[in-house]
Amino acid sequence: MIFGEKLKAERNKKGWSQEELAEKLFVSRQSVSKWENGQQAIGPPQIKVSV
């Protein structure tokens, strides 16, 4: 099972929509959709720090 399939399976197991998961991860619903469909790889987290 590839990452996208695992992500979708776990999301469905929790009963979350793509929108709900996106909100929890602070990304767009489109990003979640692309990850699940293997259209976009997940890169390293982008951490923004304001000083």
Side-chain angles (χ1 to χ4, degrees):
M1 185 180 280
I2 60 172
F3 175 77
E5 293 170 341
K6 289 180 183 179
L7 179 64
K8 186 174 184 177
E10 289 299 316
R11 177 179 62 77
N12 288 330
K13 202 183 297 184
K14 301 255 186 212
W16 295 341
S17 67
Q18 288 181 342
E19 185 68 32
E20 289 170 315
L21 178 58
E23 288 175 8
K24 293 175 188 306
L25 298 176
F26 304 103
V27 299
S28 69
R29 185 206 50 82
Q30 290 85 355
S31 290
V32 173
S33 176
K34 288 179 182 179
W35 297 339
E36 289 183 354
N37 292 310
Q39 296 174 350
Q40 180 179 344
I42 297 179
Q46 300 295 316
I47 300 173
K48 297 179 182 178
V49 178
S50 49
V51 179

